Amino acid sequence: MLFNSLDFFIFLPIVFILFWLLGKDKAKTQNIILLIASYVFYGWWDYRFLSLIVFSTFVDYFVGKAIYNNSNKKVKTKWLWVSIIFNLGLLGFFKYYDFFVDSFVDSLLFAGFEIQNVWTLKIILPVGISFYTFQTLSYSLDIYREKLKPTNDLIAFGTYVSFFPQLVAGPIERASHLLPQITKEKRFKYEQAVEGLKLMLWGLFKKVAIADSLALMVDDIFVNYGTYPSSTLILGAIFFGFQIYCDFSGYSDIAIGTSKLFGVELMSNFRFPYFSRSIGEFWRRWHISLSTWFRDYLYIPLGGSRGSRSKAIRNIFVIFLVSGLWHGANWTFVVWGLFHALLFLPSFYFNTNRKHLDNVELFRSAKTFIIEGGQILMVFSWVMLSWVFFRSETLADAFSYLQNMLFDFTYWEYNHPQGYRMWDYYVLLVGFVIFEYIIRKDERNPLDFNNRFVRLLCYIILVFLIIMFYDDTMDRSFIYFQF
Amino acid sequence: MEKFVVKIVLYTILILLGLEMLVRIFHLHKDRPSRYLDEYNVEKWIPNQNGIWVTGNRRQNVGHFRINSFGYNSLYDDFYPKTNKKEIALVGDSYIQGFHQDFQNSLGQKLEALLNEEYKVLEFGYAGYDLADQLHLIKAYKHLFNNIEHVVIYMQYTTDLERDTYAVSNRFSLNTPLNRFLKQIKTVVYLRDIGLMDPITRSINGLTNLMRGKMYSETAAIEDPEKADHLKLENFKRLIEHYEYDKHKNVLLLDYSICSPQFLTYLEQNGFKTIDFSKVFEITKTPPTLIYDQHWSNYGRSLIANLIAEYIEGK
């Protein structure tokens, strides 16, 4: 079920009413309703893959208990490996099996051995598998590291694994943050629910008005990049940058907003990343739930920045590489990850990666405007370059795209593939950037204006823009579903 | 919780009012004229209505229409032929009706500009007309059409041969009090036109069908193309026979690319005059249709006008 579908707009009020009417003062009933709703939500897309979620729930529920109940460290480790092998095995099989087989056959071919590839299985990727496997894995890891006690409530644990607002595209929650909220009784709070609705509206605007309306042009430019001048290719990279940001952060906002309606707080996933002044800052603001997951469960266990410089640099490369690979079984994502590792290295080397922990204030002084504005533009440009790898179908396409874009400057006007006015989109994006700058201080409450008339005006304009840019011919699914 | 529900209702109303205001200010909605049945049982627009026809979410295409005293979108009020002029009638559906373009720049006006001054083009376009509607109109107004030199009938092969006799259409069912009321809410008109209401109407229809015990079957919609073509041809034969189709005066404006070979062979063997626009549409680089729907664009209309002018001058 898509957040931006009619089905969801019928589903959500029904679940909301049942949840607060039947589940009032009863955590167990609340969780049963949420669990059923989550399974319906997921099954709406493909009920066959529900069995994977159920299986994953049982495995980690019992593994968690086994880890906790054993005092012997070796036995604990063995149980942890059961969880790791199961979760990563599941992910590896569904997401990477075909990729590794193809890559193996290609490398043999490169080495001069021609063999026929008969091992690929054309496996369908279950939606959300990268998200919920990481979430269940964090549960076992936290128990192993004695940061969390296992729950005895299977229903609550099932709800934690399959909680519908964030099931298919995150934010990837930690058990230590989400599970206690699920286990306890949820109470309706007016302010929280209102914040939730505002976030949902803001997320829907980003998805429908911006991401979906840019999608057609991005597809056109990336498919036909050989026929366009470099100016259009630059436009394509910028448009994709906005498309993926609005698509994914829009999803996250709707997810966080929906959870708020049920009295549950999810972690933030985006903090206005395109106002970053360094790559380090960008990664503190982009897909936060994934980057912190890798930081906590991979980078730090590997030694983090402790130890020798070379070891720390190796660790940086490992997490960026794994982060790239997490996004998809394609070498384009691996190169995207490595590209970001290279971008990150200078700030790590000069120890400036923890700079810019505050929000940008461009208009503090002329100097700030020039320096920080320049930094923002610089980071934005690097990130746009990296998106070319992320969006291209193959590495060869990505390199050709970049070559045409950077080394053969030509210009002619780009026309929308369906003949729509291009100025509508330019004005929309400029307006969006200005508005994001205004609201940049609180990503969890983007429409928090003191004056109620200003708030109402914002709601009306956002709804109006959603309608103005709505396209009923578009595929409305979210990009991150494929990851 | 009560406060939350009350606020949701209140804000929904305020947002809807705000939307209604914005839709009206920017005139994003179509003005929809009202229809009626005249004394000859011909369905037409109620005379003397004016309005704007908007296409696309963001006013991608705007046309001013003017329903004349005869009930069709036209610059002229006087449809009765004069002795000093040669009249050409354009009969057809929404393509001829031409709400998508200003009435001063309609297909008829384009055609007049191409021909010499002795010609006057009268437009009888009405959205939804099929061949039965068109032939019924010509027969009903025989006294008028008898004095017209050329009658160009635009026919869409795929949709205009579904029946073999004229009956008052179910388009009047759109005139229910509910629909008339909804027409006054411009936001609803706008949302309907851009397809935002489609998922809702589809769901309601699906639910209604389910409650009536009817399950939608996709196979029902797919029929044997050969049978369908045969039926269309039979309908055509019956219609021209019943309405005494004038092969000398009338000419069919057709898109050959969507017609069945049997139908085209029949037309050729039986001496029907035709104008085919499929070839010019095929080779043109500029899109002959609009962005948001398949109606002819200004350029498409010019191409059609050229073809008709060539036909008239050729005669």
Side-chain angles (χ1 to χ4, degrees):
Chain A
M1 199 182 294
L2 294 170
F3 281 161
N4 49 339
S5 68
L6 179 70
D7 304 335
F8 184 70
F9 284 99
I10 295 169
F11 167 84
L12 184 63
I14 294 173
V15 179
F16 180 81
I17 292 166
L18 289 176
F19 183 84
W20 290 115
L21 275 186
L22 303 179
K24 204 178 176 187
D25 306 326
K26 283 170 274 180
K28 191 99 185 165
T29 319
Q30 288 179 335
N31 288 337
I32 290 171
I33 293 168
L34 280 182
L35 185 66
I36 294 169
S38 300
Y39 285 168
V40 169
F41 179 86
Y42 192 84
W44 210 260
W45 174 73
D46 195 331
Y47 63 88
R48 291 169 303 171
F49 292 125
L50 258 179
S51 53
L52 287 180
I53 297 180
V54 176
F55 192 37
S56 184
T57 306
F58 276 108
V59 168
D60 280 277
Y61 178 75
F62 290 110
V63 166
K65 277 181 176 298
I67 294 172
Y68 187 76
N69 292 334
N70 274 292
S71 48
N72 186 324
K73 188 80 182 167
K74 274 188 179 170
V75 181
K76 274 177 182 281
T77 312
K78 273 183 189 166
W79 278 113
L80 177 67
W81 275 106
V82 170
S83 171
I84 292 173
I85 290 169
F86 172 74
N87 283 302
L88 294 186
L90 206 66
L91 191 61
F93 176 72
F94 281 100
K95 195 165 176 176
Y96 301 106
Y97 175 80
D98 282 352
F99 168 67
F100 283 122
V101 169
D102 278 337
S103 299
F104 177 68
V105 171
D106 287 348
S107 59
L108 283 180
L109 200 69
F110 188 71
F113 301 100
E114 197 171 329
I115 57 163
Q116 204 188 348
N117 183 359
V118 289
W119 301 288
T120 47
L121 300 173
K122 306 274 177 281
I123 301 162
I124 303 168
L125 182 70
V127 165
I129 191 165
S130 309
F131 293 90
Y132 67 77
T133 48
F134 269 45
Q135 198 155 299
T136 47
L137 203 52
S138 84
Y139 174 74
S140 304
L141 284 165
D142 280 351
I143 293 172
Y144 179 77
R145 293 155 85 185
E146 294 173 5
K147 285 187 173 178
L148 185 76
K149 281 184 182 174
T151 175
N152 290 318
D153 186 344
L154 183 60
I155 300 287
F157 184 69
T159 311
Y160 158 74
V161 176
S162 62
F163 186 45
F164 76 88
Q166 44 89 248
L167 172 62
V168 287
I172 304 165
E173 278 293 337
R174 313 299 164 75
S176 52
H177 179 240
L178 183 58
L179 199 52
Q181 294 186 69
I182 301 267
T183 341
K184 74 169 188 192
E185 181 205 326
K186 282 139 307 263
R187 291 189 178 278
F188 182 82
K189 292 183 201 109
Y190 172 79
E191 285 75 20
Q192 190 184 32
V194 170
E195 275 175 22
L197 285 183
K198 285 185 201 169
L199 257 179
M200 288 175 75
L201 175 63
W202 179 236
L204 203 62
F205 163 75
K206 286 197 273 188
K207 168 64 181 159
V208 179
I210 301 182
D212 285 353
S213 67
L214 295 179
L216 203 66
M217 289 179 279
V218 171
D219 290 350
D220 171 50
I221 295 171
F222 273 86
V223 169
N224 306 305
Y225 68 89
T227 61
Y228 283 124
S230 48
S231 55
T232 300
L233 301 186
I234 294 169
L235 191 73
I238 294 172
F239 276 2
F240 180 65
F242 279 103
Q243 185 201 352
I244 193 158
Y245 168 56
C246 291
D247 193 283
F248 194 21
S249 71
Y251 180 91
S252 299
D253 287 346
I254 301 172
I256 297 166
T258 309
S259 306
K260 280 174 182 278
L261 291 179
F262 297 96
V264 174
E265 289 291 337
L266 298 179
M267 68 184 295
S268 294
N269 222 8
F270 291 86
R271 281 196 194 108
F272 311 103
Y274 290 152
F275 294 125
S276 302
R277 289 151 289 180
S278 67
I279 288 294
E281 189 186 4
F282 176 80
W283 279 104
R284 284 195 298 277
R285 292 172 176 275
W286 180 276
H287 203 173
I288 301 162
S289 65
L290 181 72
S291 41
T292 51
W293 198 99
F294 279 129
R295 184 196 64 198
D296 295 345
Y297 298 111
L298 187 63
Y299 182 66
I300 292 173
L302 283 173
S305 56
R306 285 166 292 155
S308 66
R309 271 266 145 125
S310 56
K311 206 174 168 188
I313 290 171
R314 181 206 68 184
N315 294 343
I316 288 169
F317 269 96
V318 168
I319 59 158
F320 276 107
L321 190 103
V322 174
S323 169
L325 205 56
W326 177 90
H327 281 88
N330 194 329
W331 290 107
T332 51
F333 295 116
V334 175
V335 174
W336 172 78
L338 288 176
F339 186 76
H340 271 278
L342 288 172
L343 293 176
F344 184 75
L345 270 188
S347 59
F348 174 76
Y349 193 80
F350 294 110
N351 217 10
T352 54
N353 56 323
R354 301 296 299 169
K355 223 177 145 187
H356 305 307
L357 294 172
D358 57 339
N359 279 313
V360 66
E361 284 291 349
L362 278 179
F363 300 99
R364 197 184 293 145
S365 68
K367 192 180 158 194
T368 320
F369 184 82
I370 293 166
I371 293 176
E372 299 207 338
Q375 288 170 333
I376 288 171
L377 277 181
M378 180 67 83
V379 172
F380 183 76
S381 308
W382 284 118
V383 173
M384 289 309 113
L385 279 184
S386 75
W387 288 134
V388 173
F389 289 106
F390 198 94
R391 175 61 181 77
S392 296
E393 295 292 324
T394 64
L395 270 185
D397 283 339
F399 283 118
S400 301
Y401 190 107
L402 285 173
Q403 192 185 5
N404 293 355
M405 181 170 91
L406 299 172
F407 302 113
D408 181 23
F409 195 80
T410 41
Y411 167 81
W412 67 77
E413 198 184 347
Y414 175 69
N415 293 313
H416 193 285
Q418 292 192 334
Y420 303 162
R421 276 187 309 260
M422 284 303 293
W423 273 103
D424 294 1
Y425 301 96
Y426 299 141
V427 171
L428 179 75
L429 285 188
V430 171
F432 171 69
V433 172
I434 294 170
F435 192 77
E436 280 243 303
Y437 183 79
I438 295 168
I439 61 166
R440 74 196 178 285
K441 284 185 182 144
D442 188 1
E443 78 284 356
R444 299 182 75 83
N445 205 355
L447 307 175
D448 186 32
F449 298 101
N450 290 333
N451 188 311
R452 68 173 61 177
F453 293 106
V454 175
R455 280 202 308 269
L456 178 64
L457 194 66
C458 275
Y459 305 152
I460 292 171
I461 291 173
L462 288 180
V463 174
F464 187 57
L465 287 172
I466 288 173
I467 295 168
M468 292 258 281
F469 284 88
Y470 169 82
D471 187 346
D472 62 340
T473 60
M474 279 300 303
D475 166 19
R476 287 173 290 128
S477 56
F478 289 81
I479 295 175
Y480 263 67
F481 280 12
Q482 62 187 295
F483 304 140
Chain B
M1 180 65 100
E2 275 168 31
K3 188 181 167 192
F4 182 67
V5 174
V6 169
K7 280 278 178 85
I8 285 183
V9 173
L10 181 70
Y11 272 92
T12 307
I13 293 168
L14 289 173
I15 289 171
L16 287 175
L17 285 174
L19 280 182
E20 181 72 9
M21 209 169 68
L22 287 171
V23 169
R24 282 172 186 264
I25 289 170
F26 293 107
H27 207 298
L28 296 170
H29 61 280
K30 286 182 171 109
D31 292 326
R32 291 187 183 277
S34 304
R35 50 188 99 227
Y36 83 116
L37 263 184
D38 74 359
E39 66 271 29
Y40 300 104
N41 237 10
V42 173
E43 188 182 332
K44 291 189 211 167
W45 300 117
I46 293 176
N48 308 317
Q49 301 182 73
N50 291 293
I52 296 176
W53 194 259
V54 181
T55 317
N57 300 35
R58 301 185 294 279
R59 279 175 70 101
Q60 270 88 345
N61 188 72
V62 178
H64 289 81
F65 64 82
R66 173 186 180 274
I67 308 299
N68 66 6
S69 56
F70 200 78
Y72 293 99
N73 181 31
S74 175
L75 183 65
Y76 303 122
D77 273 319
D78 184 10
F79 265 23
Y80 283 88
K82 299 276 186 309
T83 47
N84 60 339
K85 288 269 186 189
K86 285 181 177 173
E87 270 83 13
I88 301 166
L90 298 179
V91 184
D93 58 10
S94 53
Y95 287 74
I96 301 295
Q97 173 184 264
F99 279 177
H100 301 85
Q101 195 142 349
D102 285 351
F103 62 92
Q104 297 101 326
N105 192 25
S106 66
L107 178 62
Q109 290 301 304
K110 280 179 186 290
L111 184 57
E112 268 188 29
L114 290 169
L115 298 168
N116 61 46
E117 280 181 6
E118 62 177 337
Y119 282 101
K120 182 179 177 183
V121 182
L122 309 173
E123 292 150 302
F124 299 86
Y126 185 91
Y129 268 8
D130 62 3
L131 191 64
D133 287 299
Q134 293 159 8
L135 296 182
H136 171 73
L137 162 77
I138 294 168
K139 196 177 178 186
Y141 285 92
K142 211 174 176 177
H143 52 287
L144 190 155
F145 280 89
N146 276 345
N147 297 314
I148 291 176
E149 210 82 12
H150 304 282
V151 179
V152 181
I153 301 172
Y154 170 61
M155 195 188 85
Q156 260 197 332
Y157 174 77
T158 45
T159 54
D160 289 354
L161 291 170
E162 298 297 312
R163 54 185 185 161
D164 62 2
T165 187
Y166 172 76
V168 175
S169 79
N170 58 5
R171 287 182 288 265
F172 280 96
S173 62
L174 298 174
N175 265 351
T176 59
L178 176 69
N179 262 329
R180 279 202 299 273
F181 169 70
L182 289 176
K183 239 166 74 170
Q184 299 307 314
I185 307 170
K186 302 305 176 194
T187 309
V188 174
V189 175
Y190 172 54
L191 295 183
R192 264 185 184 175
D193 288 337
I194 64 172
L196 240 163
M197 303 285 264
D198 290 354
I200 300 170
T201 32
R202 265 200 303 271
S203 303
I204 293 169
N205 289 343
L207 205 67
T208 323
N209 285 343
L210 201 72
M211 283 162 73
R212 284 181 191 156
K214 276 195 281 179
M215 288 291 284
Y216 175 73
S217 156
E218 284 203 359
T219 48
I222 304 163
E223 43 182 57
D224 181 359
E226 269 184 37
K227 269 188 189 170
D229 284 336
H230 178 74
L231 187 70
K232 284 187 172 87
L233 185 57
E234 289 308 308
N235 286 344
F236 181 76
K237 286 177 189 172
R238 281 190 207 111
L239 283 167
I240 55 159
E241 193 188 333
H242 183 259
Y243 291 101
E244 295 153 13
Y245 185 91
D246 186 343
K247 283 185 196 171
H248 299 288
K249 184 183 285 187
N250 299 347
V251 54
L252 289 168
L253 177 64
L254 292 170
D255 177 354
Y256 272 24
S257 66
I258 57 170
C259 298
S260 75
Q262 296 91 321
F263 179 70
L264 293 176
T265 312
Y266 176 83
L267 294 182
E268 199 185 336
Q269 285 174 349
N270 290 279
F272 284 91
K273 290 173 188 159
T274 58
I275 300 171
D276 168 35
F277 62 86
S278 63
K279 285 193 187 76
V280 287
F281 271 29
E282 233 172 68
I283 55 169
T284 178
K285 283 183 182 166
T286 312
T289 55
L290 292 171
I291 298 167
Y292 270 97
D293 62 28
Q294 286 305 299
H295 288 92
W296 301 322
S297 62
N298 184 37
Y299 181 69
R301 282 162 194 277
S302 301
L303 292 177
I304 301 274
N306 279 333
L307 284 174
I308 300 173
E310 276 169 25
Y311 168 82
I312 303 284
E313 281 164 348
K315 288 203 76 172

